[in-house]
Amino acid sequence: MNFAIFYSIMICICSTISLVIVFLSLKKKDKLGLLFSVSGFLIVIAAISYLISALHKDVNVVRVTANLYFGTISLILSTYVNLNSRFTKIKVNKIFRTFQIVIATYATIEFLAFISNIFYPWIIDLEPSDYGFAPYFVYQMHIPFFLHLTFSYLMIALITCQLVDAIKKTPGEYKRPYILVLIFLGNIVGVNLIFLFIPTTGIARFDISLLGYYILLILLYWTQYHYLTKGMTSSYKNIIVDNVEDGYILFNYEKIVVLANNPVKNMFPDIDFSKPITLDEFLKSSKIVLKESM
């Protein structure tokens, strides 16, 4: 029971952090920020629903929250595929865009199916557990539930392939964020499999992998908005750029600004260097014209 209290506290802390990410992402006012905000909001719904289903003794309450949890997980994975596509810089053509629409449609159908399962348990059912304390019910899985599992692991496999492809194509230190996300994703899958299929006692009765969705969101957000623009260049910035009076601006291999020293910021006060800026956007805002090499 002590772990149940600790688990509840962790869910509350992570939910608060996720809501902060939702707020910060909305302030970005771009498509990537919108995806982060939607993902963060769905994770909070899923986690709180699961927590209630694990701790409540009323079967009707647990039936509602458990199905809301599983249905929301489908939406989260669909959103993560889209988010990861942008994170890994996948070239989106008409075929892939159609594929994303199909995934989102199927995830929505699964969500509605779990909502219907509240009234007629044809996907999962509940039966009292013999633990004597939380969680008070265990899942009785029917055949349609394995379609949900198949969809979930197919989405994770797709995300994994995107990350592996990004690692292969990305040079040097720039591939580190993709490696970190891939390693963490593998840990989430492993813990989730243990929770669903291997009989356990103690802390493994609670789905610890759910906390991984939080951390994955935080990792993706930090990598996208901080690591590539700040983390990799901090040592070079301190040694070289900040100790010169001339203006220096650094673009990465994708032609995105990763470093601009104070003289540059003073020369172009109307440009917000706290946000990712492409070379074309910088040239347009600064009205600098590059001469083509002969």
Side-chain angles (χ1 to χ4, degrees):
M1 192 63 181
N2 290 333
F3 183 78
I5 296 174
F6 172 77
Y7 185 85
S8 302
I9 294 173
M10 290 301 299
I11 289 291
C12 292
I13 293 174
C14 291
S15 295
T16 301
I17 296 173
S18 292
L19 290 176
V20 171
I21 290 178
V22 169
F23 174 74
L24 294 176
S25 298
L26 287 174
K27 290 179 65 177
K28 302 295 182 182
K29 296 182 180 180
D30 56 17
K31 291 182 179 180
L32 186 60
L34 179 61
L35 283 173
F36 272 115
S37 61
V38 171
S39 300
F41 185 69
L42 289 174
I43 291 171
V44 172
I45 292 177
I48 297 301
S49 298
Y50 175 78
L51 185 61
I52 295 174
S53 70
L55 299 180
H56 213 286
K57 297 182 179 181
D58 189 317
V59 66
N60 292 318
V61 173
V62 175
R63 182 172 286 115
V64 171
T65 53
N67 282 284
L68 182 60
Y69 161 67
F70 283 115
T72 306
I73 287 295
S74 298
L75 297 178
I76 290 172
L77 289 171
S78 172
T79 306
Y80 263 4
V81 168
N82 199 343
L83 180 63
N84 194 66
S85 299
R86 294 178 179 274
F87 172 64
T88 54
K89 310 295 190 303
I90 296 293
K91 292 183 178 180
V92 179
N93 52 30
K94 290 184 178 180
I95 296 176
F96 189 77
R97 197 178 301 278
T98 302
F99 182 60
Q100 287 178 317
I101 294 174
V102 171
I103 290 174
T105 302
Y106 182 82
T108 303
I109 292 173
E110 274 207 349
F111 176 80
L112 295 175
F114 276 107
I115 296 301
S116 71
N117 191 75
I118 296 173
F119 308 99
Y120 181 77
W122 59 285
I123 305 177
I124 59 169
D125 204 352
L126 300 169
E127 58 183 22
S129 72
D130 56 359
Y131 301 142
F133 50 89
Y136 298 98
F137 299 91
V138 293
Y139 304 129
Q140 187 179 31
M141 305 173 190
H142 301 307
I143 292 177
F145 183 76
F146 291 94
L147 293 176
H148 165 73
L149 290 181
T150 300
F151 171 74
S152 299
Y153 289 118
L154 282 176
M155 293 302 97
I156 292 173
L158 176 58
I159 293 172
T160 300
C161 290
Q162 291 175 335
L163 290 168
V164 171
D165 184 65
I167 291 171
K168 290 180 179 179
K169 293 180 178 179
T170 307
E173 290 294 318
Y174 290 101
K175 66 177 62 180
R176 183 178 297 178
Y178 305 128
I179 295 174
L180 290 175
V181 173
L182 182 61
I183 293 174
F184 205 87
L185 184 65
N187 291 331
I188 293 175
V189 174
V191 173
N192 184 255
L193 285 171
I194 292 174
F195 171 76
L196 283 176
F197 296 112
I198 300 178
T200 53
T201 59
I203 65 174
R205 287 196 301 267
F206 291 87
D207 188 0
I208 306 173
S209 69
L210 187 57
L211 296 173
Y213 287 101
Y214 282 115
I215 301 176
L216 191 60
L217 176 72
I218 295 170
L219 181 60
L220 286 171
Y221 181 88
W222 171 77
T223 299
Q224 185 64 38
Y225 289 111
H226 296 278
Y227 179 79
L228 292 179
T229 57
K230 297 178 181 178
M232 291 187 61
T233 58
S234 60
S235 58
Y236 301 104
K237 180 176 184 292
N238 291 333
I239 297 173
I240 302 174
V241 181
D242 280 351
N243 293 317
V244 296
E245 296 180 357
D246 297 329
Y248 278 88
I249 185 167
L250 176 66
F251 296 85
N252 66 10
Y253 75 104
E254 294 176 311
K255 297 181 180 180
I256 297 176
V257 175
V258 294
L259 176 63
N261 67 354
N262 290 330
V264 169
K265 294 177 182 178
N266 293 332
M267 282 189 284
F268 307 106
D270 295 331
I271 299 178
D272 186 1
F273 288 97
S274 64
K275 298 180 180 179
I277 303 172
T278 65
L279 175 60
D280 291 338
E281 291 171 341
F282 172 74
L283 294 176
K284 182 178 178 180
S285 299
S286 64
K287 298 181 181 180
I288 294 176
V289 179
L290 292 180
K291 294 183 180 179
E292 295 184 2
S293 58
M294 300 300 292

